[in-house]
């Protein structure tokens, strides 16, 4: 089953064009949708999840016409929204049981089995009696995935999942997602590039409602291979370097600033060649869309 998005556009009543003619094929496996805040990721996710309508365009999930057959989509959809709220005084086990009823699992014995299996799968079985209000960020996210997996979904949408997780929790969450991604379509919407490079077999970059890139993380790296140059500079020198070079990334490194410059040839011998990262590709792609000067270069 794959997801086919065609010419999707959405303008909010306040005039913001959140989606501008998006067309995208999303195959089985983990798909990373990257973009800065305000890119339109949530608008796209909510539209696929049948929570809002576009102005124009179509979406098909296998044979299902997503925009018309909303019930059909909901039967095969698992959704972990950005702002997933939980009732703080209810235990994970009871809450999951309640969600299972809503998903239509009405037989009590069956529900008990399903809930138990999901608690094990998300590593929450030992804390199943604990109130959700006492859960850590990582535990809440895993609980969010447990509820999204109810009813054996074919399409799973996870919106900004790892913000606020510590590295160990993030790792656990990643392992869980990649296990799930082996069997179904999982769309991971995020502004964290590492999440995509670690997990996804396919990816897209969205910015200001437009699709800038749709590829695999591996092919994305080819775009910058042999064209990425690194130098350590003082922080105060950054503006000067930005004026003279196409600086795609800068980050603090041991108190100094490490910059990555995109250039077909070595800018000068104070720069050394580096293997590009997906972060380089991301910032290069965003930069090209923002600055006509960079695009012309
Ligand atoms: P992302 O998830 O990538 O941060 P969103 O889809 O949330 O992006 O937002 C895309 C743009 O649409 C932003 O400029 C945002 O302010 C605007 N937007 C989102 N939801 C609404 C809404 N309900 N009404 C008006 N503008 C909205």
């Amino acid at each position: 089953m794959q997801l086919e998005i065609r010419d999707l556009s959405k303008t909010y009543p306040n005039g913001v064009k959140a989606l501008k003619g998006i067309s995208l094929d999303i195959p089985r496996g983990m798909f990373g949708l990257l973009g800065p805040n305000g890119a339109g990721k949530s608008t796209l996710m909510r539209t696929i999840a049948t929570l809002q309508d576009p102005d124009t365009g179509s979406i098909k999930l296998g044979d299902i016409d997503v925009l018309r057959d909303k019930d059909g989509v909901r039967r095969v959809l698992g959704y972990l929204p950005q702002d997933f709220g939980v009732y703080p005084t209810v235990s994970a086990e009871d809450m999951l049981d309640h969600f299972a009823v809503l998903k239509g699992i009405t037989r009590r014995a069956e529900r008990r089995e399903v809930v138990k299996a999901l608690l094990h799968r998300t590593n929450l079985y030992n804390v199943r009696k604990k109130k959700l209000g006492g859960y850590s960020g990582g535990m809440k996210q895993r609980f969010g995935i447990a509820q999204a997996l109810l009813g054996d979904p074919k399409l799973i949408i996870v919106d900004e999942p790892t913000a606020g997780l510590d590295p160990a929790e993030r790792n656990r969450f990643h392992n869980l997602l990649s296990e799930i991604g082996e069997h179904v379509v999982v769309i991971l919407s995020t502004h964290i590039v590492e999440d995509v490079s670690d997990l996804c077999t396919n990816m897209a970059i969205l910015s200001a409602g437009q699709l800038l890139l749709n590829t695999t993380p591996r092919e994305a790296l080819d775009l910058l291979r042999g064209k990425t140059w690194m130098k350590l500079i003082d922080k105060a020198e950054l503006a000067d370097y930005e004026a003279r070079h196409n600086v795609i990334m800068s980050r603090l490194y041991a108190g100094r600033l490490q910059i990555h410059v995109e250039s077909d040839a070595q800018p000068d011998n104070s720069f050394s060649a580096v293997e590009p990262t997906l972060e380089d590709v991301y910032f290069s792609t965003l930069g090209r869309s923002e600055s006509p000067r960079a695009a012309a270069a």
Side-chain angles (χ1 to χ4, degrees):
M1 202 180 251
Q2 86 158 24
L3 193 68
E4 236 180 71
I5 300 168
R6 290 292 173 273
D7 298 321
L8 211 63
S9 290
K10 173 73 181 179
T11 303
Y12 284 110
N14 62 1
V16 173
K17 289 183 169 28
L19 300 175
K20 301 174 187 162
I22 301 292
S23 294
L24 194 56
D25 289 333
I26 301 184
R28 201 175 69 174
M30 294 281 303
F31 187 94
L33 181 69
L34 264 177
N37 285 329
K41 301 183 299 297
S42 286
T43 301
L44 183 58
M45 295 303 98
R46 290 173 53 81
T47 308
I48 298 168
T50 74
L51 297 172
Q52 64 180 68
D53 286 317
D55 300 327
T56 57
S58 66
I59 308 177
K60 280 183 78 180
L61 174 64
D63 293 335
I64 306 172
D65 181 335
V66 172
L67 302 177
R68 295 215 168 79
D69 183 8
K70 293 188 175 165
D71 288 340
V73 179
R74 287 170 194 162
R75 275 196 288 274
V76 295
L77 172 77
Y79 181 47
L80 176 55
Q82 203 169 347
D83 44 9
F84 179 64
V86 290
Y87 292 94
T89 56
V90 181
S91 75
E93 187 174 44
D94 290 347
M95 193 77 216
L96 217 45
D97 184 78
H98 173 68
F99 282 134
V101 174
L102 298 181
K103 271 273 173 185
I105 310 173
T106 47
R107 284 182 43 238
R108 214 170 149 193
E110 183 192 352
R111 217 162 56 231
R112 200 173 299 148
E113 282 309 303
V114 166
V115 166
K116 190 173 158 191
L118 281 176
L119 287 167
H120 276 299
R121 189 157 177 204
T122 51
N123 232 317
L124 293 171
Y125 189 76
N126 293 338
V127 285
R128 67 191 181 283
K129 304 275 184 211
K130 197 177 160 98
K131 292 191 169 109
L132 289 166
Y135 268 25
S136 70
M139 285 153 79
K140 274 187 196 147
Q141 284 299 51
R142 278 183 279 133
F143 176 77
I145 282 292
Q147 65 79 30
L149 286 174
L150 276 167
D152 207 10
K154 301 287 175 273
L155 168 66
I156 296 173
I157 295 176
V158 190
D159 204 351
E160 302 274 356
T162 60
L165 297 193
D166 70 36
E169 283 176 333
R170 200 165 138 242
N171 231 340
R172 255 185 151 160
F173 191 70
H174 277 181
N175 289 338
L176 178 61
L177 278 182
S178 65
E179 243 176 70
I180 297 165
E182 287 171 17
H183 309 289
V184 296
V185 182
V186 181
I187 309 177
L188 178 71
S189 157
T190 180
H191 62 271
I192 301 172
V193 181
E194 250 186 309
D195 286 353
V196 174
S197 49
D198 289 355
L199 283 175
C200 297
T201 42
N202 289 279
M203 61 172 284
I205 297 177
L206 194 67
S207 176
Q210 274 174 319
L211 191 68
L212 301 183
L213 191 69
N214 177 17
T215 181
T216 67
R218 200 176 290 195
E219 282 173 4
L221 294 179
D222 290 340
L223 296 171
L224 281 185
R225 191 152 286 132
K227 298 180 186 174
T228 313
W229 309 90
M230 188 272 282
K231 184 172 181 177
L232 280 176
I233 62 169
D234 287 330
K235 280 175 259 178
E237 295 175 307
L238 180 62
D240 191 34
Y241 275 88
E242 280 180 333
R244 286 187 291 125
H245 299 281
N246 182 13
V247 177
I248 49 179
M249 208 194 55
S250 62
R251 80 150 69 92
L252 281 171
Y253 180 77
R256 299 190 77 201
L257 209 54
Q258 183 184 57
I259 58 169
H260 282 187
V261 163
E262 178 181 351
S263 166
D264 286 340
Q266 186 180 22
D268 63 54
N269 60 15
S270 67
F271 284 85
S272 47
V274 282
E275 273 299 298
T277 64
L278 200 57
E279 211 166 25
D280 291 323
V281 177
Y282 177 61
F283 288 120
S284 163
T285 305
L286 289 182
R288 207 168 294 149
S289 78
E290 278 160 13
S291 134
R293 190 178 61 87

